[in-house]
Amino acid sequence: ANKTQVFGEYSNSPRTIESSSISERPYKARWYRRASSKHDPWISMEDYSYSASHGGIMYGGNAFGRAHAADILPVHNGANVWVKLSEEGKRAQRKCEEMRSGKDGWVWVRH
């Protein structure tokens, strides 16, 4: 997802996902990022309401894990994260265990 889809404040709002293991084409999923909730944002491959009980939560704020995190990694054999790095990110790149360049400036990150 583009950072404009992740940042801001929203509640059960459709957010655009550029691509994922579900679809190579852009699609939408309902996420949460409420100022009043320390566990937000909730970022998932599909709507939060479905993903929370089906191993689809990719990220929960404030290091919130529990079953949400425990369910997704075994189901999908881990997680690959692709990011577009800012200039500051490019300088910090050496801190990651492994990074691979992709097309159009995307970089695969594994810490």
Side-chain angles (χ1 to χ4, degrees), residues 10-79:
Y10 45 87
S11 179
N12 198 32
S13 174
R15 313 309 285 180
T16 301
I17 298 169
E18 297 296 323
S19 70
S20 74
S21 58
I22 293 171
S23 175
E24 292 182 12
R25 297 177 187 266
Y27 66 98
K28 294 188 183 285
R30 293 181 175 274
W31 295 348
Y32 287 88
R33 189 167 194 260
R34 303 157 292 187
S36 61
S37 179
K38 66 180 180 178
H39 301 306
D40 289 2
W42 288 110
I43 298 173
S44 52
M45 293 188 293
E46 297 178 86
D47 292 348
Y48 172 83
S49 60
Y50 176 83
S51 295
S53 60
H54 288 86
I57 299 293
M58 299 298 297
Y59 179 83
N62 200 31
F64 190 83
R66 296 191 189 158
H68 295 322
D71 288 346
I72 192 166
L73 296 177
V75 169
H76 298 282
N77 197 25

